[in-house]
Amino acid sequence: VRTKDEIMATLNSENRNRGMWFDQEMIPYCGTGARVERHVQRIIDESTGKMIKLNDCVVLENVVCQGLYHGLCQRSIPQYWRSAWLRPIDGRDVE
């Protein structure tokens, strides 16, 4: 995972990269290493029940929301990452 400063450079004024929000719960993982667990192509928006199609979105192994900034929520939801927020550690590009 890139550093916080590197990630912030990819975000607009609303902390979004092409619509995907970079959450403060992701900051503890900045500058750390993690393996891509899976690519995500669609999710269901819990607030509306609608299917949302995604592109350039991955989930990292053992990288979940810790609830540090969201009232100590214990759901441990996987976080969604853009490839621009990641750095390859084994020489392969993140896609």
Side-chain angles (χ1 to χ4, degrees):
V1 178
R2 294 188 184 276
T3 66
K4 179 184 174 192
D5 290 339
E6 289 174 312
I7 292 172
M8 296 305 287
T10 71
L11 305 176
N12 65 17
S13 61
E14 297 174 333
N15 282 352
R16 294 180 185 270
N17 176 291
R18 294 175 286 134
M20 186 176 292
W21 188 41
F22 181 77
D23 187 89
Q24 60 195 13
E25 294 285 351
M26 299 164 98
I27 293 172
Y29 297 104
C30 291
T32 67
R35 186 180 306 271
V36 171
E37 180 179 300
R38 68 182 183 273
H39 293 264
V40 179
Q41 297 176 350
R42 59 187 180 266
I43 61 171
I44 294 178
D45 182 342
E46 288 184 10
S47 63
T48 66
K50 293 185 178 184
M51 182 76 69
I52 299 172
K53 291 184 180 181
L54 302 173
N55 59 26
D56 185 26
C57 176
V58 298
V59 169
L60 304 176
E61 286 181 0
N62 302 313
V63 174
V64 297
C65 178
Q66 299 176 37
L68 301 173
Y69 302 97
H70 292 116
L72 299 176
C73 170
Q74 296 182 15
R75 292 177 64 191
S76 298
I77 297 170
Q79 298 167 324
Y80 300 118
W81 298 82
R82 290 271 188 223
S83 61
W85 303 338
L86 306 175
R87 176 181 296 122
I89 56 175
D90 62 1
R92 294 183 292 167
D93 288 333
V94 178
E95 294 179 5

